[in-house]
Amino acid sequence: MTPTQLAQLHHAGRLLAQGANQAAVQELQTLYEQTDDFAVNRELTRALLAVEQYGTALTIANEQRAAYLTSADLQEQLLTIELANHGFIRARQLAWQLPAPRQGAAQAQIAATEATLKTRAPQTLHTRLQHFYHLGDGGLLTQQRRFAEALRLPLAEFIQGSRFVLRDPFVKPLVKSTVVQSLVQLKVDQELTMLWLDDHEYPFTPAACLPLEAMPVVQVGYAELAKRFANSDPLTYQARLQTFNLHLALLYPFVDKAMIDPGRWIDEMSQPHQGPAATSTEKMIRCWQRRLNAQLAQLGL
């Protein structure tokens, strides 16, 4: 920021401290049009919260969301913004990222806000839950939109809806995986059942699942891709990495049921084995990749 812009930022901060919230918003909005400095973003969202422009505050915060994850204080500010917009699930995910001494207070704040909304707007929550139950209706975009709406459910209702969604044969595997990843981030310590890609149902407990990027089979796969292509052929590396990530998204949380040998998985992605001499492992991997690629083709990916 220029010295003039920095002076404007400090002046807006004084306006906020004095309770002149609307004047602070106007000054900060003008400043935000001139610079994308995160300090302005942070102060603007504070001011927007003060004048109860909650949706705008969330839109502005999301423009630099990663910056809010760099400290506990900023995470708590983002949590407050999410909570003001009834983003209960994202708020709880943020709470789990806070230092342990601050988690309890954050979770209690979220639970209290959930309880208030259940009392004041039960029909709104009922409608959101019904839409979540019927997530399987419609195509991928409709399902993704309804899932985004479900993130505004209280935790108990989100888990309740997830039990139906994960067993629904009409919910896209990519969307199911997103639901599972959300439950893992929430550390839900309850057993759920998922109808997986092989048309079998499997029980799992989200709190016991590793995040996708932490799974050993995934880490080996990333290392193999980098070793083979990152330096020698960057364009091929990016293309293979994109396909690999989509495969992982479809397979989660049971990646290792299909990707039994990540090195050979990369082999089959790169140069599929031809002829009858293929091993049983190669045949299995080839079968899985055909199934996954067919799913992605249906989704236009």
Side-chain angles (χ1 to χ4, degrees):
M1 282 188 289
T2 67
T4 299
Q5 291 170 337
L6 192 58
Q8 288 177 302
L9 178 63
H10 290 159
H11 180 252
R14 289 194 296 273
L15 289 173
L16 269 177
Q18 295 165 6
N21 300 325
Q22 191 60 56
V25 167
Q26 292 173 352
E27 186 155 349
L28 288 163
Q29 284 178 327
T30 299
L31 187 56
Y32 195 58
E33 292 172 359
Q34 301 170 10
T35 175
D36 61 356
D37 192 291
F38 176 64
V40 181
N41 183 296
R42 181 189 62 218
E43 289 302 293
L44 179 53
T45 58
R46 285 182 59 228
L48 289 166
L49 282 177
V51 297
E52 300 183 359
Q53 293 186 30
Y54 303 134
T56 305
L58 182 58
T59 298
I60 296 297
N62 281 337
E63 290 176 358
Q64 298 191 43
R65 192 177 182 92
Y68 283 91
L69 306 180
T70 58
S71 77
D73 288 343
L74 290 170
Q75 285 175 354
E76 287 187 339
Q77 182 175 339
L78 181 58
L79 187 156
T80 299
I81 297 169
E82 287 286 4
L83 209 49
N85 286 277
H86 300 156
F88 299 117
I89 300 306
R90 287 199 176 99
R92 285 188 179 275
Q93 290 167 344
L94 287 165
W96 278 114
Q97 297 178 45
L98 292 171
R102 300 166 80 161
Q103 287 179 11
Q107 297 285 8
Q109 179 188 7
I110 297 166
T113 308
E114 289 178 344
T116 298
L117 190 63
K118 288 180 182 181
T119 300
R120 293 182 177 176
Q123 186 57 47
T124 297
L125 293 180
H126 177 74
T127 300
R128 286 177 191 164
L129 183 57
Q130 287 301 309
H131 287 170
F132 195 27
Y133 281 148
H134 296 283
L135 192 69
D137 299 347
L140 177 63
L141 293 179
T142 298
Q143 293 187 19
Q144 289 175 326
R145 184 175 66 251
R146 289 185 174 180
F147 172 72
E149 184 182 1
L151 296 176
R152 302 178 71 208
L153 285 168
L155 179 61
E157 284 75 8
F158 184 77
I159 296 172
Q160 180 183 342
S162 296
R163 292 186 182 278
F164 286 86
V165 166
L166 293 177
R167 301 182 70 182
D168 186 340
F170 299 104
V171 175
K172 304 296 184 185
L174 205 57
V175 177
K176 282 188 181 180
S177 174
T178 305
V179 174
V180 172
Q181 291 185 61
S182 296
L183 294 166
V184 171
Q185 292 169 354
L186 292 166
K187 302 184 187 296
V188 173
D189 196 14
Q190 301 178 29
E191 185 176 274
L192 291 88
T193 301
M194 180 177 179
L195 179 64
W196 196 49
L197 292 164
D198 61 359
D199 297 323
H200 287 81
E201 290 191 340
Y202 297 99
F204 73 102
T205 301
C209 293
L210 287 172
L212 179 58
E213 66 278 3
M215 297 182 73
V217 65
V218 173
Q219 293 179 338
V220 172
Y222 282 142
E224 283 290 325
L225 274 172
K227 181 175 69 176
R228 299 185 194 193
F229 301 111
N231 295 322
S232 61
D233 191 346
L235 290 178
T236 297
Y237 173 63
Q238 290 301 321
R240 295 283 188 273
L241 182 61
Q242 182 180 21
T243 301
F244 186 66
N245 282 332
L246 288 169
H247 286 173
L248 294 175
L250 289 170
L251 292 170
Y252 190 74
F254 306 114
V255 178
D256 46 12
K257 288 185 182 293
M259 200 175 292
I260 56 176
D261 186 328
R264 291 190 180 183
W265 190 277
I266 303 303
D267 289 338
E268 288 297 318
M269 286 176 59
S270 308
Q271 293 180 325
H273 185 106
Q274 302 296 326
T279 66
S280 58
T281 297
E282 288 168 342
K283 290 177 181 177
M284 177 182 174
I285 289 173
R286 192 182 305 168
C287 179
W288 267 111
Q289 290 191 7
R290 281 198 299 265
R291 179 181 296 181
L292 297 176
N293 291 335
Q295 286 278 350
L296 294 174
Q298 289 177 10
L299 299 174
L301 299 174

